[in-house]
Amino acid sequence: MTRDKSFKTRVRARMDKTGESYTTARRQLVARSTAAAPEPAAAPPAPPKPAPGATSSGTAVQTARISDALVRERTGRGWDEWFALLDAWDATGRTHTEIARWLATTHEVPGWWAQSLTVGYEQTRGLRAPGQRRGGGFSAAGSRTVAVPVRRLFDAFADDALRRRWLPGAEVRVRTATAPRTFRADWGDGSTRLVVGFAAVGETKSRVSVQHEKLTGAEQAAELKAYWRDRLAALKHLLEGTGR
């Protein structure tokens, strides 16, 4: 597959640069890919549509958001096949991080998809509710690909004046900001928190993933998911339009 060839090329490039063995270079790249990907709650690239798996609060389970055909196309297996493999590995007794790492290292599933499969498995096996993080807390997520360099997308969060143009009225207190990769901040009264990741998609295009954490329940998670879908659309319009 194309993605396998691309990954092997990256491994060999790291070997040439660091002098590491193939196994060591591959392990380092897989670990970095898994750690950099925030837990997703929506399938890229389009906003999720209502599906039979949606709950009364409007939050859909992962298997309803991401079609079996798309999972098979991107990972080589469908939902049921992955669930059977995870059951055989006794994944219900393991942590979210352990499951995602196993998918990435043993089956070479890319970081975002390893996280997506893990969330879908946990929801289906009753280890978490839709919108709920493993361990009890709730969160809302959103992502967008924008036709600007990644540093410009990062600045849209980190620069106060620019952020107010697409996120008016929001009270954001920055905790840490590492350009152009991550942005963390307290939201409102500080009871909830933002974790934002950025990734370049070529020289003139980049992707932002927002995770709104420490929410009170599924209803708040559904409301904030809709809010971030709207605000990220406004951000895209600003940066790609006259606001560039």
Side-chain angles (χ1 to χ4, degrees):
M1 295 177 66
T2 301
R3 66 178 174 82
D4 292 332
K5 293 181 180 178
S6 176
F7 181 76
K8 290 177 181 177
T9 299
R10 290 170 55 204
V11 173
R12 294 192 179 97
R14 182 182 174 94
M15 291 170 60
D16 293 339
K17 182 178 180 180
T18 65
E20 297 169 338
S21 67
Y22 183 91
T23 300
T24 300
R26 177 182 176 279
R27 186 189 310 118
Q28 293 296 326
L29 289 174
V30 168
R32 184 168 59 185
S33 173
T34 303
E39 287 186 31
K49 299 179 180 179
T55 67
S56 59
S57 67
T59 302
V61 296
Q62 195 81 327
T63 53
R65 290 194 186 97
I66 310 177
S67 71
D68 188 77
L70 182 58
V71 170
R72 186 179 300 279
E73 176 188 339
R74 300 298 174 86
T75 69
R77 293 182 174 88
W79 282 115
D80 289 343
E81 293 169 273
W82 281 118
F83 290 173
L85 282 174
L86 288 164
D87 284 341
W89 184 61
D90 193 26
T92 56
R94 304 176 190 267
T95 67
H96 176 94
T97 300
E98 287 174 332
I99 297 172
R101 183 180 295 124
W102 182 76
L103 290 169
T105 57
T106 303
H107 297 282
E108 297 188 2
V109 178
W112 194 96
W113 284 99
Q115 295 285 351
S116 295
L117 291 173
T118 302
V119 172
Y121 179 80
E122 290 171 336
Q123 290 176 347
T124 302
R125 294 296 183 260
L127 302 176
R128 70 159 90 191
Q132 185 179 30
R133 297 177 65 84
R134 186 79 174 267
F138 284 79
S139 65
S143 61
R144 275 280 176 170
T145 298
V146 186
V148 296
V150 66
R151 181 55 192 251
R152 178 62 171 165
L153 189 56
F154 171 84
D155 287 344
F157 282 79
D159 183 274
D160 289 341
L162 181 55
R163 186 176 63 243
R164 285 194 293 269
R165 295 181 63 186
W166 65 275
L167 205 60
E171 185 178 354
V172 178
R173 292 187 297 281
V174 180
R175 297 173 63 89
T176 61
T178 304
R181 295 180 299 171
T182 60
F183 176 89
R184 295 172 180 266
D186 290 329
W187 179 265
D189 62 2
S191 60
T192 64
R193 184 175 300 171
L194 296 181
V195 178
V196 187
F198 307 87
V201 187
E203 294 183 0
T204 59
K205 187 180 293 186
S206 51
R207 187 169 184 82
V208 57
S209 298
V210 176
Q211 192 83 18
H212 200 142
E213 300 180 341
K214 302 177 68 176
L215 307 183
T216 58
E219 184 175 353
Q220 186 185 27
E223 291 174 353
L224 282 170
K225 182 174 180 60
Y227 172 82
W228 283 110
R229 184 164 58 242
D230 175 75
R231 289 299 85 208
L232 292 178
L235 170 63
K236 179 180 177 70
H237 177 75
L238 172 68
L239 294 184
E240 293 184 351
T242 57
R244 187 189 298 270

